[in-house]
Amino acid sequence: MASTEKISAFPYPFVENNVYRYSNNAIPLNPPIAIEVTDSYIEELNLKRGLLKMHPKRCFHSEPHTMDAQWEALDLILNQLAEYYPEKFKLVTNGGHWIFNNLHKGEKQSFTFGDPTTLDREPLDFVGRHVQEDLILMMQRDGDLFLDAGQLCFPANWSLYFDAGMSFKEIHTPIPGFQSASLDERILQFLMRIEAGSPWWRKNWSLMAGNRLDTSLETFAEWGQARKKVTKENVGELVHLRVEVQKLFRLPKSNGILFTIHTHMLPLEQFIKHTPWLEQFSSILQELPDFIADYKGISLYREVVLEYLEKELEKR
Amino acid sequence: MFSYVEGKRKLLFCTDSEVDRNLYILVRQALDENVTFEFHILEEESEESFVNQWFHKQKMGAYLYISGKEDFVKRIKDVAMMAGFTEHDMQSLINGPVKKKLICCTCHGVNEVSDQTHVVCVHCGQELEVSDHYSRRLDAYLGYVTIK
């Protein structure tokens, strides 16, 4: 289950500001790559496929009208895998006949592009089994975006089954303060203006007790218990900084948006080795308003983390 | 609350109880403005065929007000829709508790709740907090597990 990575590859989520609030913190994505293959590729792929097998309703959902967008997502991702990781993936396209070779995993698949009968799964479900990212398709209509398809194995405490079909604002109603100053409306307007060929990305962070990637809402009763088990002895090892690298691509033909989420985790004891990170994170957590700490699930052990960070600061 | 809609050819009122006061003010206004209306108190479920005929013989421009307990309002609404009324041709008001569906976040099982803030899932036994997170696809609210 453990999936933590090297500190050098960890996407540090904070910018210059020592105060954290919800905001539209998306920036242009350069180079425009929707996916990233890391050292834990094989491990995470196996975990994903196991979850998809055991919990198909929890991990995949699609509305029938998303089929064209699903093929576009597959097209974009398979081409990028082959282009940016040529030693691991090969893609041969001969008209509509495609052969995708995952050399890293030792798997080969041929199919006819656009013909769902030539794949044994829906296109999004197929391509999601070859990348570490969770994949969400938001379809645009009636001046709004709707979560109409997704493959989601590593959610940060939300349910694809429950949220499927919802509009952007409906999905985000549980986030306290997200509606204030019409932040939800402004982000929605931003997303609807994303253009093909100009993708964006952002990082989102939280703390978690434990190191599970599969923190679905469905299993919260199990993994949420770890929040009560944080002590000053185990805090550095048990508590992890969890960062989602989220990327947004307009799909030009279907006008949908492909939203890829790559989840990274690092235990606090690794994270704090880098003194500037320790200093800044300590101030941010100190100042963080209760309503954000509550929503991020930090409140039960925030004090223990703060004491740990202060002790570490004194040692420097 | 109901609102009085101007310019309708005819108003139809129905309620499940003669002590229901929600419609009085509307009836008063219809009388004042000399608008044609019909008023029925429907206390028996067996009156459904009568309701069906009543709705079917209405012409364009008829506007319907339904007041009563949740089951009654749902039943009458269904009959009206079948007879060709749309959401734009009616208003309804529920007296008493409103039952809603709650989806258990753990097992996806459906529970029926009214005004409780916490329930135990009848399918898996998990204690759930009733939230206002609502799915139109499932016509249900989400029940969360809380860690205390």
Side-chain angles (χ1 to χ4, degrees), chain A residues 44-105:
Chain A
E44 289 182 22
L45 236 57
N46 291 339
L47 178 57
K48 247 188 157 185
R49 293 176 179 193
L51 287 162
L52 282 157
K53 191 172 180 184
M54 294 282 287
H55 310 286
K57 260 179 80 184
R58 178 169 113 200
C59 298
F60 185 76
H61 178 91
S62 73
E63 298 293 328
H65 66 267
T66 59
M67 210 42 96
D68 288 347
Q70 290 196 42
W71 283 109
E72 275 193 278
L74 172 144
D75 181 349
L76 186 146
I77 292 169
L78 292 188
N79 273 294
Q80 290 196 349
L81 284 173
E83 183 182 349
Y84 294 104
Y85 300 95
E87 70 290 356
K88 294 190 170 89
F89 308 93
K90 290 259 176 294
L91 181 67
V92 180
T93 62
N94 182 5
H97 185 237
W98 290 36
I99 302 166
F100 174 64
N101 200 341
N102 184 336
L103 305 164
H104 205 10
K105 197 89 174 80

Side-chain angles (χ1 to χ4, degrees), chain A residues 161 163-164 170 173 218 228, chain B residues 105 108 133 136-137 145 148:
Chain A
Y161 171 77
D163 285 6
E170 285 171 339
T173 45
E218 285 81 353
K228 294 192 294 194
Chain B
C105 75
H108 297 169
H133 195 28
R136 279 182 287 133
R137 181 175 75 91
V145 168
K148 284 178 225 92

Side-chain angles (χ1 to χ4, degrees), chain A residues 13-14 20 204-207 241-243 281 288 296 298:
Chain A
F14 305 108
Y20 176 83
N204 195 17
W205 71 279
S206 69
L207 281 186
L241 204 76
R242 185 179 173 113
V243 173
F281 183 56
L288 196 70
K296 288 186 182 285
I298 303 171

Side-chain angles (χ1 to χ4, degrees), chain A residues 244-309:
Chain A
E244 288 183 351
V245 171
Q246 307 177 342
K247 297 174 176 176
L248 299 149
F249 283 73
R250 172 73 69 190
L251 303 173
K253 293 192 202 99
S254 59
N255 203 34
I257 286 180
L258 170 67
F259 178 49
T260 70
I261 310 168
H262 193 132
T263 303
H264 301 259
M265 268 191 298
L266 194 64
L268 271 186
E269 63 189 10
Q270 295 288 323
F271 179 85
I272 52 122
K273 283 183 179 165
H274 191 49
T275 306
W277 291 5
L278 167 63
E279 287 170 348
Q280 188 183 28
F281 183 56
S282 178
S283 339
I284 286 172
L285 192 62
Q286 189 96 51
E287 195 277 339
L288 196 70
D290 288 341
F291 74 95
I292 298 181
D294 279 342
Y295 183 72
K296 288 186 182 285
I298 303 171
S299 302
L300 279 173
Y301 55 91
R302 168 148 114 169
E303 284 311 310
V304 187
V305 173
L306 280 172
E307 277 168 36
Y308 170 77
L309 298 176

Side-chain angles (χ1 to χ4, degrees), chain A residues 57 159-164 166 217-218, chain B residues 100-113 119-124 126-145:
Chain A
K57 260 179 80 184
S159 166
L160 175 66
Y161 171 77
F162 191 77
D163 285 6
M166 285 187 194
L217 185 62
E218 285 81 353
Chain B
K100 54 187 183 185
K101 286 199 277 180
L102 186 80
I103 300 268
C104 171
C105 75
T106 302
C107 75
H108 297 169
V110 180
N111 294 267
E112 198 170 81
V113 297
V119 294
V120 172
C121 175
V122 295
H123 306 277
C124 73
Q126 192 67 248
E127 192 184 331
L128 302 174
E129 188 180 338
V130 180
S131 77
D132 58 4
H133 195 28
Y134 175 73
S135 160
R136 279 182 287 133
R137 181 175 75 91
L138 303 167
D139 181 29
Y141 291 83
L142 183 58
Y144 284 97
V145 168

Side-chain angles (χ1 to χ4, degrees), chain A residues 186-256:
Chain A
R186 286 184 287 132
I187 294 178
L188 172 64
Q189 292 304 327
F190 162 77
L191 294 173
M192 289 197 299
R193 284 198 300 269
I194 288 179
E195 288 174 9
S198 305
W200 293 74
W201 74 302
R202 69 184 287 261
K203 286 177 265 188
N204 195 17
W205 71 279
S206 69
L207 281 186
M208 71 169 292
N211 63 357
R212 282 174 65 134
L213 274 172
D214 163 30
T215 48
S216 63
L217 185 62
E218 285 81 353
T219 52
F220 177 72
E222 299 162 27
W223 61 265
Q225 298 292 338
R227 292 178 182 174
K228 294 192 294 194
K229 299 192 176 113
V230 179
T231 64
K232 62 174 191 264
E233 289 73 33
N234 69 17
V235 53
E237 196 186 341
L238 182 59
V239 175
H240 290 67
L241 204 76
R242 185 179 173 113
V243 173
E244 288 183 351
V245 171
Q246 307 177 342
K247 297 174 176 176
L248 299 149
F249 283 73
R250 172 73 69 190
L251 303 173
K253 293 192 202 99
S254 59
N255 203 34

